[in-house]
Amino acid sequence: MNGEAESSPRIVIDFTDEEWDIICEAAKAHKETFLEFVNTAIQNAAKEKEAARKKFTPVETFTAPPLEAQGRIIGNIAAGNLADGDTIPQDIRLYRELEKGEYLLRVNGHSMEPSIPDGSVVIMKKYTIPPHPQTWNHCSIP
């Protein structure tokens, strides 16, 4: 390299006097020089990062359909016991148009987890139950 000595990259460390005192005390407690202490700290940080990386479980990705529709959240639904909730209408983007009789509610509570997490928006559909046929007993009154 044209007679120039190859050098390691320089790192500038700027500690306050108080920080320097704390680091020196920690290095002394570990019976290490400053450079040994810093090297040990870097190695420990690298091990922690590698352990965290190994714990990470990637999730399967998917492409969400485009948000082409719009709907309004009209209220809340309790996940568990019935409870009063704030009814603050909120417009949101949807993947599809709402059908006749459908409406949006936000879930409050954890009792439907993990299937429906707290804070989820659910599409509800109004169903009408046809009346049950009634059986009449006919009796003659003389």
Side-chain angles (χ1 to χ4, degrees):
M1 298 187 127
N2 299 342
E4 295 177 17
E6 197 173 315
S7 64
S8 299
R10 288 187 69 137
I11 299 173
V12 177
I13 301 174
D14 187 20
F15 294 118
T16 65
D17 289 341
E18 185 179 312
E19 291 168 332
W20 183 252
D21 290 341
I22 292 169
I23 292 168
C24 288
E25 288 299 317
K28 285 179 190 174
H30 287 92
K31 298 179 182 171
E32 297 175 316
T33 66
F34 173 75
L35 291 177
E36 291 170 335
F37 180 76
V38 169
N39 190 37
T40 300
I42 291 170
Q43 288 174 356
N44 289 340
K47 288 176 186 175
E48 289 174 11
K49 184 175 181 179
E50 180 63 17
R53 188 190 66 76
K54 287 181 179 178
K55 288 181 183 177
F56 175 73
T57 305
V59 295
E60 187 177 327
T61 59
F62 66 93
T63 303
L67 300 172
E68 296 176 348
Q70 185 168 331
R72 176 171 284 220
I73 301 170
I74 62 168
N76 299 313
I77 185 170
N81 295 333
L82 294 177
D84 291 335
D86 294 334
T87 304
I88 302 171
Q90 176 188 2
D91 292 326
I92 63 170
R93 305 281 301 168
L94 301 172
Y95 298 112
R96 66 173 179 83
E97 293 288 335
L98 293 176
E99 297 173 5
K100 184 177 179 180
E102 289 183 334
Y103 53 95
L104 302 173
L105 295 176
R106 185 172 309 280
V107 174
N108 290 330
H110 301 279
S111 70
M112 291 191 269
E113 290 178 345
S115 298
I116 305 174
D118 181 43
S120 296
V121 175
V122 295
I123 298 174
M124 305 297 288
K125 185 165 185 134
K126 181 178 179 181
Y127 286 98
T128 56
I129 300 171
H132 296 288
Q134 295 183 358
T135 308
W136 294 95
N137 289 330
H138 298 278
C139 58
S140 302
I141 301 180

